[in-house]
Amino acid sequence: MKARIKWNEGVSFVAETGSGHALIIDGAPRNGGRDLGARPMELVLAGAAACSAFDVVHILRKARQPIADCAVEASAERAEQPPQVFTRIRLEFVVAGRGLDRAQVERAVALSRDKYCSATAMLAKTAAIETVVTVLDADRVPAPASGPTPGGAS
């Protein structure tokens, strides 16, 4: 796996992944950023949530569960002193489908957390990881009432 990070200006960077995708990374205005992109640690948290969601969807499909949607609300606490590693991570899974077996969904989340997700396995070295599971008998997961708040630190 490879990535290339190129300084743009201020504390803004363009990241190019080995698979050919690009994204802008920037710092908070209080750190000299212009709020042009996600903060580096936001991407770490989002990557862990996405890695785990990927596993859960894959496991449920393999188990022939009627999954229609999956969302993960991720939140984290960080150490006060540098390096400000994550100390607590909460992953709230909301999985929807008509006739989903709750035990199968909980099993998929546990397998991701305990065996398959490489991102959460790395982060578990410094952070307690909590998972919460909600199963909805629906075709789609409703959108959250309020999304992430902008302006977090890197």
Side-chain angles (χ1 to χ4, degrees), residues 7-37:
W7 180 40
N8 189 24
E9 64 178 342
V11 293
S12 173
F13 299 84
V14 175
E16 296 177 36
T17 66
S19 59
H21 301 279
L23 61 132
I24 295 174
I25 302 169
D26 198 6
R30 71 176 179 274
N31 294 328
R34 291 190 18 220
D35 213 11
L36 298 173

Side-chain angles (χ1 to χ4, degrees), residues 37-101:
R39 314 294 182 260
M41 291 300 286
E42 288 176 329
L43 293 173
V44 172
L45 182 61
C51 181
S52 196
F54 180 97
D55 291 340
V56 168
V57 169
H58 181 75
I59 292 165
L60 290 173
R61 283 182 170 169
K62 196 170 180 180
R64 293 192 165 91
Q65 286 294 300
I67 183 171
D69 205 357
C70 177
V72 181
E73 293 288 330
S75 58
E77 295 175 17
R78 295 177 66 185
E80 290 186 25
Q81 299 300 316
Q84 290 179 284
V85 298
F86 291 136
T87 56
R88 297 188 78 71
I89 297 172
R90 180 181 170 98
L91 301 174
E92 298 182 48
F93 292 82
V94 181
V95 183
R98 299 257 180 235
L100 277 173
D101 181 338

Side-chain angles (χ1 to χ4, degrees), residues 48 51-53 55-56 59 89 91 93 106-122 124 128-133:
C51 181
S52 196
D55 291 340
V56 168
I59 292 165
I89 297 172
L91 301 174
F93 292 82
E106 289 175 347
R107 176 182 169 273
V109 169
L111 281 170
S112 176
R113 181 192 61 229
D114 300 337
K115 184 174 183 180
Y116 293 113
C117 181
S118 51
T120 56
M122 285 187 287
I129 298 178
E130 174 189 7
T131 56
V132 177
V133 177

